[in-house]
Amino acid sequence: MVTLFTEGLGLAYSLSRLAHHTCPLPRPRPPSVPMPNSTAVTEFLLEGFSNFGWQHRLVFFAVFLTLYLLTLSGNVVIVTIIHLDCHLHTPMYFFLSMLSLSETCYTVAIIPCMLSVLLSPHQPLAVQGCATQLFFYLTFGINNCFLLTAMGYDRYVAICNPLRYSVIMSKEVCVQLASGSLGIGLGMAIVQVTSVFGLPFCDAFVISHFFCDVRPLLKLACTDTTVNEIINFVVSACVLVLPMGLVFISYVLIISTILKIASAEGRKKAFATCASHLMVVIVHYGCASIIYLKPKSQSSLGQDRLISVTYTVITPLLNPVVYSLRNKEVKEALLRAVGRRPLSS
């Protein structure tokens, strides 16, 4: 009888464990020391917008898909126009085309997966797929930061040292700056991905985000992540604080130079050449800083998700909109491309 009772308890325990693991969306437990019977995670589930009803998710899908298509088409148009129109073969537009290409790759890494999660919230994502998405997201996100810094330096040279502009901003220098930006992005992405996916993920597998990002993944690790959080903060500071500081110094020098221009028309024209870049810089660095530089104690996954929507969906659209609608040279190039006369100066 004792033996039968013991076997019955063992069977009941096994059934309870089986029911626990077949639950469609278990909530992740807090990180802790790995338990002996824990199984390594091979797939993740993106929580995304699963707490919304299907009607709301359908609206989100339509809005995000529209913004995504507008971003892709806008960036493709900018790159094509700059490539075809010889009037735009200057350092400023070279960096703009590189930024458009980088933004395109950045959105392709994030938004298709987000759209898929909106339609199918319980669709699993392999660990390798999650690591790949994080790698490309970080590579092109960091690349964007340093490309914006290079564009700020280009504006500084154009306004503060115009007589030597063609010498300083030669084709070789532009290629080196663009290559350096991409190289930094690749290096930092390798460090982050290696750091995060070197951690053990035991039972918790629901990522509280709509894509694979560093902080939500660290919350799932079943070991102490203090070192990884320090690495994440140092990398974030290097790729945000350093570029922001360089851009800030550039614009301090630019504004001081512009204010010395005697002609009001000259000052207006000089400010106009910087306005588009400055607008993109403020939105880009502002959103990224709020997400990645604030202390962990003040981190709210819901708030981070909302800001991430702006950072991953709306900000990439800002680039083609700002640089096409506010830039006279780009508008004239578009008119020449479609066979119409350019705008009168």
Side-chain angles (χ1 to χ4, degrees):
M1 290 294 290
V2 173
T3 303
L4 290 173
F5 179 74
T6 305
E7 289 177 353
L9 285 178
L11 179 60
Y13 176 77
S14 301
L15 290 173
S16 67
R17 292 288 293 172
L18 179 62
H20 173 75
H21 284 292
T22 53
C23 180
L25 263 179
R27 302 297 300 178
R29 62 178 177 82
S32 60
V33 178
M35 299 185 65
N37 295 329
S38 296
T39 55
V41 170
T42 58
E43 291 180 334
F44 291 113
L45 282 178
L46 294 169
E47 187 177 60
F49 303 91
S50 59
N51 54 328
F52 290 93
W54 69 268
Q55 300 96 332
H56 292 98
R57 293 204 308 273
L58 198 60
V59 172
F60 290 151
F61 178 84
V63 172
F64 294 156
L65 178 62
T66 302
L67 294 175
Y68 177 55
L69 295 176
L70 288 173
T71 300
L72 288 182
S73 57
N75 282 320
V76 167
V77 167
I78 284 180
V79 172
T80 305
I81 289 297
I82 291 174
H83 176 72
L84 295 178
D85 198 304
C86 60
H87 297 86
L88 302 181
H89 291 177
T90 63
M92 174 182 172
Y93 292 106
F94 169 77
F95 288 123
L96 176 57
S97 65
M98 291 296 102
L99 182 63
S100 294
L101 281 173
S102 183
E103 291 279 21
T104 300
C105 297
Y106 175 81
T107 54
V108 168
I110 300 297
I111 300 183
C113 180
M114 182 178 72
L115 295 174
S116 176
V117 169
L118 280 169
L119 292 181
S120 181
H122 298 170
Q123 185 176 354
L125 177 65
V127 170
Q128 295 85 350
C130 186
T132 302
Q133 185 187 54
L134 179 62
F135 173 77
F136 285 111
Y137 164 73
L138 291 173
T139 297
F140 292 110
I142 294 170
N143 183 44
N144 292 344
C145 291
F146 283 94
L147 280 175
L148 288 170
T149 306
M151 294 172 76
Y153 177 67
D154 172 72
R155 292 300 82 206
Y156 159 74
V157 176
I159 292 174
C160 299
N161 207 345
L163 298 180
R164 301 190 62 228
Y165 178 74
S166 58
V167 176
I168 297 175
M169 298 303 296
S170 63
K171 184 177 180 180
E172 292 77 15
V173 170
C174 293
V175 171
Q176 289 170 4
L177 288 172
S179 302
S181 299
L182 183 58
I184 293 172
L186 286 168
M188 294 294 190
I190 290 171
V191 169
Q192 284 281 57
V193 172
T194 304
S195 167
V196 172
F197 286 92
L199 295 170
F201 297 97
C202 302
D203 294 325
F205 59 91
V206 181
I207 301 175
S208 300
H209 214 330
F210 56 85
F211 68 94
C212 293
D213 200 2
V214 176
R215 278 193 170 179
L217 283 167
L218 290 181
K219 290 181 182 294
L220 299 186
C222 53
T223 188
D224 182 61
T225 59
T226 302
V227 174
N228 306 83
E229 287 164 4
I230 292 172
I231 292 173
N232 180 46
F233 182 79
V234 170
V235 169
S236 300
C238 288
V239 303
L240 289 173
V241 176
L242 178 60
M244 279 193 296
L246 293 173
V247 171
F248 177 76
I249 293 171
S250 297
Y251 273 98
V252 168
L253 297 172
I254 287 170
I255 292 172
S256 64
T257 301
I258 290 175
L259 293 177
K260 295 176 183 177
I261 299 175
S263 166
E265 184 64 28
R267 289 195 297 271
K268 182 180 177 182
K269 185 176 180 180
F271 272 121
T273 62
C274 303
S276 299
H277 174 254
L278 191 58
M279 186 184 302
V280 174
V281 162
I282 291 171
V283 175
H284 182 90
Y285 288 134
C287 291
S289 298
I290 292 172
I291 297 173
Y292 296 106
L293 293 182
K294 68 180 179 181
K296 181 184 176 182
S297 59
Q298 298 178 12
S299 179
S300 165
L301 290 176
Q303 185 185 53
D304 287 353
R305 235 178 295 181
L306 180 61
I307 299 171
S308 293
V309 169
T310 303
Y311 186 62
T312 58
V313 179
I314 299 174
T315 302
L317 179 61
L318 192 65
N319 176 40
V321 168
V322 168
Y323 282 107
S324 60
L325 296 181
R326 290 181 56 86
N327 193 296
K328 183 180 177 182
E329 289 178 314
V330 172
K331 288 190 284 188
E332 289 181 349
L334 281 169
L335 290 175
R336 285 194 292 269
V338 296
R340 295 177 58 185
R341 294 179 61 186
L343 297 174
S344 58
S345 53

